[in-house]
Each structure stands twice: as structure tokens, then as C-alpha cells.
Amino acid sequence: MAKAKTSDRTDAEKGMLVPTEFDDSIMWAAWLYYADQMTQSEIAKRLNVSRATIVNYLQEARERGIVSVHINPKAGNRTRVARALMDTFGLAGAFVIPDGDEQALVQRLGDAGARVLADQMEDGDTIGVAWGRTVLAVADQISLTRPVRNLTVVQVSGSSTGEADFSPELCTSILSNRIHARCVNLLAPAVLSTKALKALLLAEPVLLKQMDLVHSANRILFGVGDIGPKSTVRQAGIGEPEEIDDYVARGATAVIIGRFIDAHGGAVGGAHDERIVGITLDELKNIPSRICVAGGPSKIKAIIATLEADYVTHFITDMATAEALIAAAGTA
Amino acid sequence: MAKAKTSDRTDAEKGMLVPTEFDDSIMWAAWLYYADQMTQSEIAKRLNVSRATIVNYLQEARERGIVSVHINPKAGNRTRVARALMDTFGLAGAFVIPDGDEQALVQRLGDAGARVLADQMEDGDTIGVAWGRTVLAVADQISLTRPVRNLTVVQVSGSSTGEADFSPELCTSILSNRIHARCVNLLAPAVLSTKALKALLLAEPVLLKQMDLVHSANRILFGVGDIGPKSTVRQAGIGEPEEIDDYVARGATAVIIGRFIDAHGGAVGGAHDERIVGITLDELKNIPSRICVAGGPSKIKAIIATLEADYVTHFITDMATAEALIAAAGTA
DNA sequence: AGCAGAAGTTGACAAATGACAATATCGGCG
DNA sequence: CGCCGATATTGTCATTTGTCAACTTCTGCT
């Protein structure tokens, strides 16, 4: 354990009083390789180590973010499918990843979403974060490759009670941590038992302040949930099964930012909805940059509902989903 | 063949109305390779082309800036020598490239400078640009890997008459062009024949406006010139040989932004200096981010003069020069 | 001091990559 | 219609790179 600690310290950028020479070698190897285009053997010779060591250095340089590969999202917007999506749904940006490993779809979408978000971030941004498997995947994989100062990450809906491994708090915490942002968690349950209690709670100074931050976010990251039997909403403990069935009976087709919408994106309100703590659909539309990451055959309808109602400015999905969306929108 | 058809349809389905169809394959190859870490052979199979084609796609993706490798300048600041430089000369940032091909030193420094500058740029920046071989090398190699809007590039000293291939106009034009910035060239000669004429010219509305821009720059990029017999100043036609000799006689050790400074960075003024059109040394110090790129054995003294007088906030050099600087500063 | 375990390094081999000449495809144009 | 030149693609081979088990060095602990 003690040893592991030691190595951690070496890896962690801060906390080191004296920068070891070790960092230098890694930096140099990285520069000689990626900037000067020398081969690993040449670098090995110059640094007087074996080539295998250079391989390790370069690996570490990538892991530590000393070097990183940037894929231009602007170029992503120029692909045919991305354009079609943008035209069909009036999006400001779309990024479509090629089909690949089915199993890893969420991971891969997360990677793409992370790149798009990271690319957009600017000094002083306040970034709202919803929750879900996909949002977590984004949070898990985002990383800053350039200095962006003064970021705030704010959880936009109350914390869920379910023991899901993609809770709002978790998504927010991880994301903020990875980009060195101030982290603001909403200190309230996602759903309260009465409308009155919700009003009381929201009147608390702490909550007022936090909700102010939510409303001042200039970007937001969210996914799309469907309503199927195995869907996330049903697992996340947002409401009793009957309550969700009730939503469905009244036309609910998708869930975004913890709110239910019908096939055309209209809010499906009701008593339960009024007990939810979090950003509302109307408030969502006031945020300038609304980044949505979603994909998968089971979500097509839900995504169409979301996109049609203009809840999204920047959409990230996979090829198969994109084509299904375009086809479906065409026939509609 | 039938298989190939399928992929062809994806690539060039409808009429070639848009030249971007082609981008799709390149974009996909780039994504699958750099984001999904697939091997070129796997990608080739999926895209139904030969692996060699994938190699080409990836090459083009890099050339077109669809993918780019970023080397974190912050990490560069952590190397031992960079730290030593920062401590010794009170710099905000230093980037030291490892020794390499002697001949290509200017190119390699240009690459490093370009990365540092590109990394710093923010929306709305106004970037002052001096001139010289090194500055040109930066301009030649800079490229935007993320969207930065509303940039202005402004030439900070008058245009030289010499036919040098690194004139102020050229440096400014190339740099602005490569980063899609507004380009403002100073429409005046570097040196006028009388102080009075200079005053007259600078009173012109056009020039007034341009000089205002110069003074409002929030970043500046410049190199360091030495005074040796083969030095740039003597070739650039900034003044008659006698005039330059006169500067030297009065202690001139280096030239930055077209102005002469002594061994401790003090301005070496005089009649000639008063006829120069361009930013002054005092004005230089008012610019928040002052990026200086310089290296090479012949420039050690000149660089020390520059660094000691706090003209620089961010300094880019090579290992050999850095070590010489630190050694020299230690003995002084 | 001596030992245990982890981190760092190495050599050797298999796999992946880059280079390039040869070949195929496409869009005019006589 | 067929030929031309330009552009895109491919097969092949030498080089470069990643992997992995063995080895060395270092560190903390008894």
C-alpha cells in the first residue's frame, strides 16, 4: 500500500516538491516523437535508454495528457450524415461516430461527447450536467488539453435515491473533477413527496443560490432516456412504476433532464412533475449551448421527440442511429 | 464487388454536389483509428478499401487538420530547464525543446513557438507580430486546432525596404492567414528620413488607427536579433551600416521589435531610433502576454539582455541555449 | 543490514505501419 | 468513342512499433 502511495505521488502532477528528471525524459520523448517526428529508435539512442522504454514513455505521455490527439469536431459537422441531421432537425452542430463495437456504444458515444464538449468550453463557462449512463460516459472520458480557467459544473436536477451507478451527483462530480471545475451539487432529492415541500425547500437560501446557478448555465450536457420496460427511468427510482405508467398513458415518449416529454417534445406535466426538483424544459431552452448525447435502436423515438422540439443545439450519436433518425423523420 | 458497391454508395452516393463527400471516409478512418484505436487493417476491412488507402486517409486527415497532436505547454513548463529559466528570469512560462538537428533549429523553434501561441489564443485576441527568421518560422507552422473567433493580427513595426524573405508584412500576413485572423499591416516604412516626417505620417488618420491597434494588442510575438556582422539587422535594411555601428558603439547588444537595447535591456535611443515607426520598448511592456522565440549560440548575450529587462513573459528556446543562458546568468 | 515487493527497464519477437511503384478509376476532350 | 492526364487505390516490402516475460533498481520495513 505504502508503495502504491509512492507511485501515485510520482504520477500526480501536484504535490511534488521537486520535479523529477523523469518527467523531463517523458516530455522530451514526446516532443522528439510527435513534433520532430523522430523514430523511437533514434530517440532511444539519444536518451540512452532502450527503445522499449521510449514506448513506455510515450504511453505515459498520452495517459498523462502531455500529448493528446484532437479530432476536429468542425470536420465532424461536414460529414454527410451530420449535415443531414443538422438540416433535418435544425441543429447548430452534429457529430456522428461510425458504427463499431455494439457493446461499447455508450463508451464510444461518451468519448465523442467528451471531445465535443471539451472543444466548446471557454473560460468562465458554467456547464449544467444531467445524468444517465451516457452522460457518465462523457464525464468519465473528458479531459482538458488546454488551459480553461474558471469553470463551474452544476447538477441540474435533484439527486436520485436509487443506487444507480450513474447518479446526478456522480456525473457532476466526476465531470467537474476531470476538468478542474468548481462543482455544485444540488442538495435536494430529485422528487419530493409534496409540491408544498418542494416549494419550501427551494425557498431555502442554499437551494435558491444553487438554482440560480442552474439557470445561469451557458452550456448543458444531457442524454435521452426512453420509456421501455428496461429503461433507465424505471431503474433510477425517479418514481414508482405506477407513476411512470401514468406518464406513459398520457403520451410520454422520452425523458430528458428528468422530465417527461411526448412524441413531439411537449412537456407531459402533472402532479408528479410538479414535485421534481431540477431545471424545467422551458429553462432548458434558455441555455445557449445544449449538448445531447444519445444513440441506440431502442431510443430512436425518444430522440426524435427530443430533437423535433428544439431542445438540442449540438447532437452526438452513432451512424446507425443517425440513419434511423433521418429515415424516420423523412416519413413523418 | 457487390460489397465494394455498398461502401461506394456510402462514400459517393448522390451526385457530387458537395466536395465534402470525400471527407466522410477520411473522417471515419480518423475516428476509428485515433478515437476507437482500431488498427488500420480493421478499418480497411470495415471501409472496404485496402489498408494502404487507410494510410493515405490518415495522412490527409493530419494534413487537413482533421486530427492534430497537441503537446501540452503546461507540461513543458515542468521540465527542469524550463523551471530554471522561469526562476532565473522571472518568466510566466518557458518551453525548451530538446536538442536536435542543428540546421533546422529555426524551424523547430518555430514549431514550438507556434504551439505555445496557438495554445494561448482566445476569442477576440489582438496579436502583435514583429518579424525575423524565427517569427516567420512560427507563422509558417501555426495552425488552429480549435475554433477561435475574432482574432486580429497586427504588424507592430513599419515595413522594411530590404528584400528579406522575412519582412514584417510577410510575417504578419502569413500568420493571420493561417489562423483566419483579420490582418492589419502597418502602412509605413520602418524608418523614415526625418523625425518630423515620422510625426507627420503618424498623424494620418489611417496610421493613427493602426497604431491604436498596436497599442491594444494583448499578445505579441517577437524574436531576438543579435548585432554580429552577419546578423539579421544588418541584412534587413533597417539602417545604414554606420548607423548600426553607432548603436553598437553606444552599447547595443540586441535588437527586439526593431529597437536596440544594451546588455541590461536598456533602450539605446538616439536620432535614428526616433525615426523608427513601430511599437516602443515601453509600450511592449504594457502588453500582457509577450511571447519570445529565440535560440542559437550567437544570440546568448542578446537573449540575456532581453530576458533580464523583463521584456518577455513566455520564452521558447532550445536546450543548448537554455543551458548557456542559465550558466551565463549564474556567473553574472 | 537484508529482504520483499513494486516500479522501471530491457531484449526479442510478432504485429502494425509507411513508402512507393504499379494499377485502376474518373472526368474531360478531341 | 476512345484516349489522355489527373487522381485515387492497391500490393508488396522494409521499417517501425507494441507486447511481454525476464531482469534490474529502488524503497520501505523489520
Side-chain angles (χ1 to χ4, degrees), chain A residues 21 24 31 36 46 66-68 70-72 79-80 98-99 108 119 122-123 145-147 149 319, chain B residues 10 13 21 24 28 36 46 66-68 70-72 79-80 98-99 108 119 122-123 145 147 149:
Chain A
E21 274 205 40
D24 288 28
W31 180 268
D36 284 345
R46 173 185 297 274
I66 290 173
V67 303
S68 55
H70 179 90
I71 300 181
N72 193 336
T79 62
R80 168 130 40 90
D99 288 331
R108 299 177 66 241
D119 203 68
E122 291 176 9
D123 287 358
T145 60
R146 71 199 148 97
R149 288 167 306 248
M319 196 62 189
Chain B
T10 314
E13 185 165 7
E21 297 298 355
D24 285 29
W28 288 9
D36 284 346
R46 172 185 297 274
I66 290 173
V67 303
S68 54
H70 178 89
I71 301 181
N72 193 337
T79 63
R80 178 184 303 259
D99 288 330
R108 299 177 65 240
D119 202 66
E122 290 176 9
D123 288 358
T145 60
R149 289 167 306 247

Side-chain angles (χ1 to χ4, degrees), chain A residues 304-315:
Chain A
I304 289 195
T306 307
L307 293 182
E308 276 191 345
D310 200 28
Y311 289 120
V312 180
T313 58
H314 298 261
F315 182 56

